Amino acid sequence: MGKNYPGDAGKKIGANLRQFRLSKGMSIEALAKQVGVSKLTLLKIEQGEANPTLSVIWKIADGLKVPITSLLDIESDVAVARTTDGLKLKSSDEVFIAEPLFRSHGFELYRGYLKPYGEYVSEAHQAGVMEFVTVMSGQLTVGVDGDTFHLGEYDAIRFKGDRLHKYTNPSPDLTILHFVISYHHF
C-alpha cells in the first residue's frame, strides 16, 4: 500500500470496491472491461495493495455509477478534514493532487493542488456531474469543450463535468483549489 493512504484507507477502498462490484453482480473481468482498467489493477485495489491514481478512481466510480467518496467511505456526523491527514489522490504524474473532504446528499467537496506550470486533463465524467471550482490561491486556466477560462485568486467556475476538461496552472506558484462536485442523479 502506498504512503498516500493513511492507516487502512487502501484496504477500505478495496473492500468498498469489492462490495459495490458484487452488489451489481459483476465479475472483476466485467468491471475491468466496463471501466477500462486492467483486471490486475482492480484485483490489487480490491486487495488493498494498490495506490490508484485519481483517473483510475474516477473511471471505477463512473463505471459503477457511484460518487468517488462512496468508494473512499468518508462518513460521519461531524468531521474535520485536516490537511495533514487527509486522503491524497494523485494524477499519474503527481502534478495534480485532490483531497476528498466531505460528501453530502449528492455533493462532494475537495481540496486540490496543481503544481507550478502543471496541467491535469480530466476525462469526461458520467452525465449529470457538475463541477464547481474556486481558486483559493494562485491562478488557474480551465479548458472546457475548446473554450478557455482564466481564473485568478477567489474566482470560481461552474461547468458540466460530462465532457473532457483540462486544468492548467499558468504560474510559477502552487495553485490551491476548492472543488464541489455534484451528482444530479444520485
Side-chain angles (χ1 to χ4, degrees), residues 121-149:
V121 178
S122 178
E123 291 173 41
H125 307 308
Q126 54 199 301
V129 171
M130 290 288 290
E131 292 197 28
F132 304 80
V133 183
T134 303
V135 178
M136 301 310 292
S137 176
Q139 298 176 51
L140 182 69
T141 302
V142 181
V144 184
D145 276 352
D147 292 322
T148 303
F149 305 91

Side-chain angles (χ1 to χ4, degrees), residues 112 132-142 149-158 174-179:
F132 304 80
V133 183
T134 303
V135 178
M136 301 310 292
S137 176
Q139 298 176 51
L140 182 69
T141 302
V142 181
F149 305 91
H150 300 283
L151 305 175
E153 198 166 46
Y154 306 125
D155 287 345
I157 187 171
R158 180 197 75 203
L174 180 70
T175 294
I176 301 174
L177 308 169
H178 181 265
F179 284 83

Side-chain angles (χ1 to χ4, degrees), residues 78-139:
V78 176
V80 175
R82 302 204 187 278
T83 57
T84 50
D85 53 19
L87 185 61
K88 291 173 175 48
L89 300 173
K90 298 183 179 185
S91 59
S92 51
D93 56 7
E94 303 201 354
V95 164
F96 179 68
I97 297 171
E99 292 179 344
L101 304 175
F102 305 111
R103 170 172 71 135
S104 178
H105 305 294
F107 286 91
E108 295 180 338
L109 279 71
Y110 293 83
R111 216 174 356 245
Y113 304 90
L114 189 55
K115 289 187 176 171
Y117 303 114
E119 185 175 281
Y120 176 69
V121 178
S122 178
E123 291 173 41
H125 307 308
Q126 54 199 301
V129 171
M130 290 288 290
E131 292 197 28
F132 304 80
V133 183
T134 303
V135 178
M136 301 310 292
S137 176
Q139 298 176 51

Side-chain angles (χ1 to χ4, degrees), residues 51-68:
N51 198 347
T53 63
L54 184 58
S55 72
V56 166
I57 293 269
W58 260 117
K59 283 180 185 175
I60 293 169
D62 285 348
L64 291 171
K65 298 201 176 345
V66 297
I68 278 189

